């Protein structure tokens, strides 16, 4: 199975980091968040990736073009022009990078890469969020449901502390309460290539007409995940993920 990852947006709410690189290349623990997402999938045996490029896509191309060299111990013969690799820590991944245009919407990006996916169901997610979602269980659920699409539903915590007030006194305080009880789109989809017929053109937003039509037709299954999930929308989000990683308590680190 392949995994398609959206990595073409501008990341304007994280402009402190994205003026020089696309948001999926913003680092957590010295590695791009894109790498972390790929490691999540690889922990479940998915090692064939299709990445949708857009804004500053060349940065992602350069990262993977040099990845093997950067993860190896090497000796260079400067006079003879030779190189000897002593040890490689490179993952056995196949990575297809597709330029889908800077202004293309999420649905348009997905449609453009379908020829690289083939005829089998595939995983699909955003290049700016991490989770400890069980990808294997998600795929099994999708197959059991028999729908064209499955979305992972999450309940992110509130951004502000919650006060339980009686009269003029706070009787309970919760720093990061769960949300309002509603479920939201957490990405980590499993899709049939047939979803392409729900996408009109490059201006199509995947989260609007296609998902709405799939839902109306009973073709959008929902996999509920009540574990860790965090999108990196702001500098505060990025710093939070960095703190989790440095503390050794990053829930999404599913690999050794």
């Amino acid at each position: 199975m392949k995994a398609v990852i959206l990595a073409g947006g501008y990341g304007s709410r994280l402009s402190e980091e994205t003026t020089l690189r696309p948001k999926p290349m913003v680092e957590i623990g010295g590695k791009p968040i894109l790498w972390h997402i790929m490691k999540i999938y690889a922990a479940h045996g998915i090692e064939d990736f299709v990445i949708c490029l857009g804004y500053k896509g060349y940065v992602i191309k350069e990262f993977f073009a040099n990845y093997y060299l950067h993860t190896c111990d090497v000796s260079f013969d400067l006079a003879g022009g030779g190189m000897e690799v002593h040890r490689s820590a490179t993952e056995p991944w196949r990575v297809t990078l597709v330029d889908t245009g800077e202004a293309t919407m999420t649905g348009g990006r997905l449609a453009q890469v379908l020829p690289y996916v083939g005829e089998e169901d595939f995983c699909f997610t955003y290049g700016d969020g991490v989770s400890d979602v069980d990808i294997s269980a998600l795929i099994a659920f999708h197959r059991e449901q028999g729908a064209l699409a499955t979305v992972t539903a999450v309940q992110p915590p509130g951004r502000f502390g919650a006060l339980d007030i009686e009269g003029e006194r706070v009787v309970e305080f919760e720093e990061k309460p769960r949300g309002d009880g509603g479920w939201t789109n957490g990405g980590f989809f499993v899709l049939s290539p047939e979803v392409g017929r729900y996408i009109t053109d490059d201006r199509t937003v995947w989260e609007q007409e296609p998902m709405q039509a799939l839902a109306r037709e009973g073709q959008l299954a929902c996999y509920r995940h009540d574990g860790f999930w965090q999108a990196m929308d702001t500098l505060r989000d990025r710093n939070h993920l960095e703190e989790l990683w440095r503390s050794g308590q990053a829930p999404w680190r599913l690999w050794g």
Side-chain angles (χ1 to χ4, degrees), residues 88-160:
S88 173
T90 306
E91 294 86 352
W93 296 344
R94 174 179 173 83
V95 183
T96 302
L97 305 173
V98 184
D99 186 354
T100 56
E102 285 199 13
T104 306
M105 297 291 102
T106 50
R109 295 190 194 281
L110 173 58
Q112 286 193 37
V113 302
L114 286 178
Y116 298 93
V117 171
E119 299 179 355
E120 302 296 325
D121 289 356
F122 61 97
C123 294
F124 175 57
T125 198
Y126 306 106
D128 62 356
V130 289
S131 175
D132 60 357
V133 59
D134 187 334
I135 299 294
S136 298
L138 166 63
I139 294 169
F141 174 85
H142 171 78
R143 290 171 174 165
E144 291 170 1
Q145 293 298 309
L148 294 180
T150 296
V151 58
T152 296
V154 298
Q155 290 182 302
R159 287 191 173 274
F160 304 100

Side-chain angles (χ1 to χ4, degrees), residues 6-26:
L6 291 171
Y10 289 101
S12 56
R13 286 191 289 174
L14 193 59
S15 59
E16 301 92 339
E17 295 277 356
T18 57
T19 54
L20 298 177
R21 53 186 169 179
K23 186 160 69 164
M25 293 303 293
V26 174

Side-chain angles (χ1 to χ4, degrees), residues 163-173:
L163 302 177
D164 186 359
I165 302 173
E166 291 183 5
E168 304 304 322
R169 294 290 185 272
V170 175
V171 296
E172 186 175 351
F173 174 75

Side-chain angles (χ1 to χ4, degrees), residues 71-91:
T71 55
C72 292
D73 293 339
V74 296
S75 293
F76 292 100
D77 181 350
L78 300 183
M83 181 181 78
E84 179 184 358
V85 176
H86 303 291
R87 183 186 63 86
S88 173
T90 306
E91 294 86 352

Side-chain angles (χ1 to χ4, degrees), residues 52-69:
C52 307
L53 305 182
Y55 172 70
K56 296 189 181 297
Y58 65 88
V59 176
I60 298 177
K61 287 184 178 180
E62 290 173 356
F63 174 78
F64 286 107
N66 296 305
Y67 189 72
Y68 177 74
L69 179 61

Side-chain angles (χ1 to χ4, degrees), residues 1-4 45-50 92-96 116:
M1 180 174 279
K2 297 182 179 181
V4 173
I46 298 175
E47 298 180 328
D48 195 342
F49 300 95
V50 180
W93 296 344
R94 174 179 173 83
V95 183
T96 302
Y116 298 93

